[in-house]
Amino acid sequence: MARRRMVYEGKAKILYEGPEPETLIQYFKDDATAYNAEKRDVIDGKGVLNNRLSEHFMTGLNGIGVPTHFIKRLNMREQLIRAVEIIPLEVVVRNIAAGSMSKRLGIAEGTPMPRPIIEFYYKDDSLGDPLVTEEHIIAFNWATQQDIDDMIALALRVNDYMSGLMYGVGIRLVDFKIEIGRIFEGDFQRLIVADEISPDSCRLWDIETGQKLDKDVFRQDIGSLADAYTEVATRLGVMPRNGTVTSGPKLVN
């Protein structure tokens, strides 16, 4: 097979040049990081799970008219995606207080928000991805006011879809982050959901027990990350119950 050109390597994924113009191949690694990569490990099968789960969520969003970069899954670890110009912001939607919001504002973890709260964080690992305001975004030309309005609309639609999907399998969507990319169609720009949606980028709690089924399991050393992600995939029907995550295909008798 021809050697592919690597375009970018992040903490959890690698992007390669795609087979067609304006496409990329997104490869999901088994690396787990937390606290701005100060904590690291390799979790066998994590990339396979995140690939399948992100495919499931992105396909569902495409199906209800929320545009994403996802085209199709290629294999156990790779997806074919549209190349986009990433806006340098993480868009976070919070339904329940947790994590940095609880620490920053002194709100007890688990407190429901009166409505979904949307926050923007500037993507810069060296700065710790700081919280920024709409004024910062416009002043530093990271996005326009129209872009901000469109990002908020996209984030709320993703929240509606994901909240309902998770509630249906007994999971509460506490918060999540997405990234947004620009695509250009002639003289027109359109914003679409990019990167990934997976337990790496969401907080997910079991509705009955409060058990955490997301990357906080790794952050807080409270169990097996692979088991938590497998539970989410199993409930959603992405993996068969009692299925085994592998780094590649296996023969099944």
Side-chain angles (χ1 to χ4, degrees):
M1 188 171 71
R3 190 176 184 87
R4 295 175 301 186
R5 183 176 70 87
M6 187 175 75
V7 175
Y8 172 80
E9 181 169 8
K11 294 189 283 287
K13 295 181 295 297
I14 303 173
L15 295 179
Y16 295 98
E17 195 171 52
E20 302 291 339
E22 306 302 318
T23 67
L24 295 168
I25 293 172
Q26 182 166 253
Y27 174 91
F28 288 77
K29 302 193 291 185
D30 282 342
D31 299 47
T33 63
Y35 308 118
N36 201 21
E38 291 179 9
K39 182 177 183 179
R40 295 175 174 269
D41 203 350
V42 176
I43 311 295
D44 186 40
K46 171 179 171 287
V48 175
L49 284 161
N50 279 352
N51 183 26
R52 295 298 300 274
L53 284 164
S54 194
E55 172 199 16
H56 185 70
F57 300 138
M58 294 287 192
T59 299
L61 289 168
N62 284 336
I64 64 168
V66 178
T68 81
H69 72 166
F70 179 81
I71 299 172
K72 65 179 179 178
R73 180 169 60 85
L74 298 174
N75 53 49
M76 297 286 281
R77 291 182 177 273
E78 293 180 326
Q79 299 177 354
L80 182 66
I81 60 173
R82 296 186 68 171
V84 302
E85 178 189 308
I86 290 287
I87 295 174
L89 299 166
E90 294 179 349
V91 185
V92 174
V93 181
R94 299 185 184 273
N95 299 308
I96 296 169
S100 63
M101 172 179 254
S102 290
K103 294 175 184 175
R104 191 172 66 244
L105 301 179
I107 301 172
E109 186 167 278
T111 303
M113 297 293 97
R115 60 178 177 80
I117 302 295
I118 296 179
E119 298 175 336
F120 295 98
Y121 293 81
Y122 179 53
K123 282 174 55 64
D124 189 317
D125 286 343
S126 67
L127 299 175
D129 299 330
L131 177 70
V132 294
T133 68
E134 293 187 18
E135 284 294 314
H136 293 113
I137 295 168
I138 294 168
F140 297 128
N141 201 31
W142 298 325
T144 66
Q145 184 62 60
Q146 184 61 58
D147 290 336
I148 292 171
D149 294 343
D150 291 345
M151 286 190 287
I152 290 171
L154 277 174
L156 289 174
R157 292 185 70 191
V158 173
N159 189 47
D160 286 345
Y161 170 77
M162 291 287 294
S163 294
L165 185 68
M166 290 300 180
Y167 187 82
V169 295
I171 296 173
R172 181 168 284 115
L173 179 65
V174 175
D175 58 39
F176 67 92
K177 76 171 179 71
I178 55 173
E179 295 185 19
I180 305 293
R182 294 186 179 97
I183 58 172
F184 297 90
E185 297 167 338
D187 293 332
F188 297 98
Q189 168 196 284
R190 191 155 64 102
L191 300 187
I192 65 175
V193 179
D195 191 47
E196 69 174 295
I197 301 176
S198 75
D200 268 8
S201 58
C202 303
R203 277 195 174 86
L204 306 170
W205 295 352
D206 180 86
I207 287 174
E208 295 295 327
T209 67
Q211 177 188 0
K212 295 181 179 181
L213 300 171
D214 54 68
K215 199 161 76 169
D216 277 348
V217 171
F218 173 70
R219 290 187 186 99
Q220 300 170 14
D221 292 315
I222 53 176
S224 164
L225 191 69
D227 287 350
Y229 287 18
T230 299
E231 178 65 19
V232 175
T234 300
R235 293 196 197 186
L236 289 167
V238 174
M239 293 185 60
R241 191 159 290 282
N242 300 321
T244 302
V245 181
T246 67
S247 55
K250 279 189 175 181
L251 290 176
V252 178
N253 294 327

